Amino acid sequence: DDGTYTDLVDFNNSNGAYPFGSLIQVGDSLYGMTNYGGANEAGVLFSFSILTNAYIKLVDFDKAHGAYPYGSLTEMGGLLYGMTEQGGVNGYGVIFSYMLATGPSSYSDLYDFKNDDSPLGNLTQVGDSLYGLSSSGGNYYQGNIFSFNPATGNYNDLYDFSNAEIPTCNLL
């Protein structure tokens, strides 16, 4: 290792802008998302070949099916899963999947968040379910922990954060 830095992709708005989260490796490719840019200025899902250094824009996010992802992808059973902070039927973000084997038509909006949920971050796989956080959802609109089972479509609000849990400090 000679410490050489190599610029492999320059985001230019049309191919995405402002990447958030981490890259995930599946086979010989890296996958990631940008929060902005693309055809709809709502972010993109992309792949990057480690072997050929080829960048491919796979999905242009839009407000109808999910927009502005803040987080990383999760791979489970040949599918990539992720969340967007906005967009979808209710405008509060979506959980989506992308099938690696088929290409652009394989994007699916799986769950549309409600009640100003605004999911942020990554989904974590535990068994057959995905777990995540919203920043303003739940019964108290201060965030929640949820699970989602892609096979059944079941969404469960597991824990709601509230003001009562904010620690206070008394100064003497």
Side-chain angles (χ1 to χ4, degrees), residues 131-154:
Y131 289 75
L133 298 170
S134 76
S135 64
S136 59
N139 290 325
Y140 308 108
Y141 299 100
Q142 295 181 1
N144 69 331
I145 299 170
F146 63 85
S147 70
F148 177 76
N149 184 310
T152 64
N154 287 340

Side-chain angles (χ1 to χ4, degrees), residues 2 9 19-20 39 43 45-46 51-52 71 74 77 102 109 113 133 153 162 169:
D2 63 3
V9 174
F20 279 86
L45 185 145
F46 65 87
L51 301 176
T52 64
T74 299
T102 61
D109 176 356
F113 287 92
L133 298 170
S162 72
C169 177

Side-chain angles (χ1 to χ4, degrees), residues 25 28 40 46 122 125 139 168:
Q25 182 178 356
D28 293 329
N40 305 305
F46 65 87
N122 311 328
Q125 178 187 356
N139 290 325
T168 59

Side-chain angles (χ1 to χ4, degrees), residues 9-23:
V9 174
D10 289 322
F11 292 104
N12 61 17
N13 204 46
S14 68
N15 72 352
Y18 309 115
F20 279 86
S22 301
L23 296 170

Side-chain angles (χ1 to χ4, degrees), residues 1-114:
D1 181 19
D2 63 3
T4 302
Y5 168 83
T6 305
D7 184 348
L8 299 171
V9 174
D10 289 322
F11 292 104
N12 61 17
N13 204 46
S14 68
N15 72 352
Y18 309 115
F20 279 86
S22 301
L23 296 170
I24 181 173
Q25 182 178 356
V26 180
D28 293 329
S29 293
L30 302 173
Y31 294 87
M33 299 182 290
T34 68
N35 176 257
Y36 194 74
N40 305 305
E41 296 186 353
V44 304
L45 185 145
F46 65 87
S47 69
F48 179 79
S49 171
I50 297 168
L51 301 176
T52 64
N53 288 345
Y55 174 91
I56 300 171
K57 181 172 62 167
L58 301 170
V59 173
D60 285 294
F61 290 108
D62 61 44
K63 291 189 178 181
H65 300 102
Y68 313 113
Y70 279 99
S72 302
L73 297 162
T74 299
E75 190 271 332
M76 184 169 79
L79 294 168
L80 296 177
Y81 292 93
M83 299 184 293
T84 65
E85 182 196 18
Q86 295 179 29
V89 171
N90 302 309
Y92 300 119
V94 303
I95 296 173
F96 68 86
S97 70
Y98 181 83
M99 185 175 291
L100 294 170
T102 61
S105 63
S106 64
Y107 175 90
S108 297
D109 176 356
L110 302 175
Y111 180 79
D112 291 280
F113 287 92
K114 305 169 183 75

